[in-house]
Amino acid sequence: MNFEMRKILAVDDDKDILEVLQFILEDSGYEVDTLSDGHYLFEKIKANEPDLILLDIMLGNLDGRQLCKDIKARQETHDIPVVLISASHNVSASMNQSGAPDAFIAKPFDINELLDTIKGQLAAA
């Protein structure tokens, strides 16, 4: 069976959260890249071609919602599912707008909910 590991890019300015995400996702059979500075997002996407992006809304001086819109606006990245993660924002209202994320998870997240959301987005992609 030719099973290729699905690649996930986790973007969060909190390195502890990135470590937890990386551990959980690698333990679940995913290949994981992490990025703590959203300014390098498109270089990282180009270099690693992730199958899915986990994106925190609060990225220092950047807004993950805007980065999500940028990902969805670009021809070469608009097909990549984006899951926004946030402790302080509820983006349900903006989910149907153009450039909206494919899914949203609130922090602190439930590990099973996170994995189910990722699995569902990868299956749909």
Side-chain angles (χ1 to χ4, degrees):
M1 184 173 127
N2 184 4
F3 177 76
E4 191 179 322
M5 285 176 69
R6 305 301 297 266
K7 286 193 269 188
I8 296 176
L9 174 59
V11 186
D12 197 311
D13 60 351
D14 183 328
K15 290 189 168 57
D16 293 335
I17 289 176
L18 283 179
E19 277 182 27
V20 169
L21 283 170
Q22 184 163 15
F23 177 79
I24 293 167
L25 296 171
E26 286 180 349
D27 194 53
S28 299
Y30 295 104
E31 190 179 315
V32 181
D33 273 309
T34 59
L35 180 65
S36 59
D37 185 342
H39 289 100
Y40 301 105
L41 180 64
F42 286 97
E43 289 92 326
K44 193 80 161 175
I45 292 172
K46 193 174 170 78
N48 298 310
E49 300 178 351
D51 296 303
L52 181 138
I53 300 170
L54 286 175
L55 185 59
D56 189 32
I57 289 181
M58 303 288 282
L59 287 169
N61 60 352
L62 293 172
D63 186 325
R65 291 167 297 190
Q66 185 56 53
L67 287 173
C68 180
K69 284 188 175 122
D70 295 345
I71 291 166
K72 295 299 181 184
R74 292 189 184 195
Q75 182 67 40
E76 66 274 17
T77 55
H78 72 85
D79 288 335
I80 303 171
V82 177
V83 178
L84 280 185
I85 303 175
S86 176
S88 54
H89 295 74
N90 184 341
V91 294
S92 306
S94 62
M95 289 296 285
N96 297 323
Q97 297 173 356
S98 111
D102 297 278
F104 172 74
I105 297 174
K107 283 183 194 170
F109 44 80
D110 174 80
I111 292 172
N112 292 323
E113 179 193 356
L114 173 74
L115 293 173
D116 288 347
T117 300
I118 289 171
K119 194 181 290 181
Q121 290 300 323
L122 288 171

